[in-house]
Amino acid sequence: MTGTPRTIATVRKNNFQELRIGLVTHAGCRLVDLRLYDLSKPKQGEPFPTKAGFCLALDRLPKLIEALKAAEREVSQ
């Protein structure tokens, strides 16, 4: 991967972790990076990325959004 992901949004999971959604480039392809960051032991004052997470090709993003909306509808009933 090229460089650090550019953070688009952050969602607090609990007191020790947050989910960061970012954009990153790998082998010339732009990807969405969804990754848990550890807040409990910041390195140089900053949370650090864990291995928990994944990258998704931008063309798959609409499907992920659709799935999340379906989950939201499901829990709202």
Side-chain angles (χ1 to χ4, degrees):
M1 304 237 192
T2 305
T4 305
R6 181 170 61 94
T7 302
I8 303 299
T10 301
V11 179
R12 189 73 171 240
K13 180 180 175 188
N14 54 42
N15 287 337
F16 307 105
Q17 295 177 318
E18 67 186 16
L19 173 67
R20 289 190 185 180
I21 298 96
L23 294 176
V24 66
T25 301
H26 177 67
C29 296
R30 291 180 66 205
L31 305 168
V32 176
D33 182 60
L34 296 105
R35 188 142 328 268
L36 284 178
Y37 276 67
D38 190 323
L39 303 172
S40 64
K41 300 173 199 154
K43 292 184 178 180
Q44 299 175 350
E46 287 293 317
F48 62 94
T50 68
K51 291 182 181 181
F54 62 93
C55 287
L56 190 67
L58 289 180
D59 66 339
R60 309 241 171 147
L61 188 57
K63 279 292 207 186
L64 176 62
I65 293 169
E66 183 180 309
L68 290 170
K69 286 180 179 178
E72 181 181 44
R73 283 192 302 275
E74 211 41 52
V75 298
S76 297
Q77 295 180 2

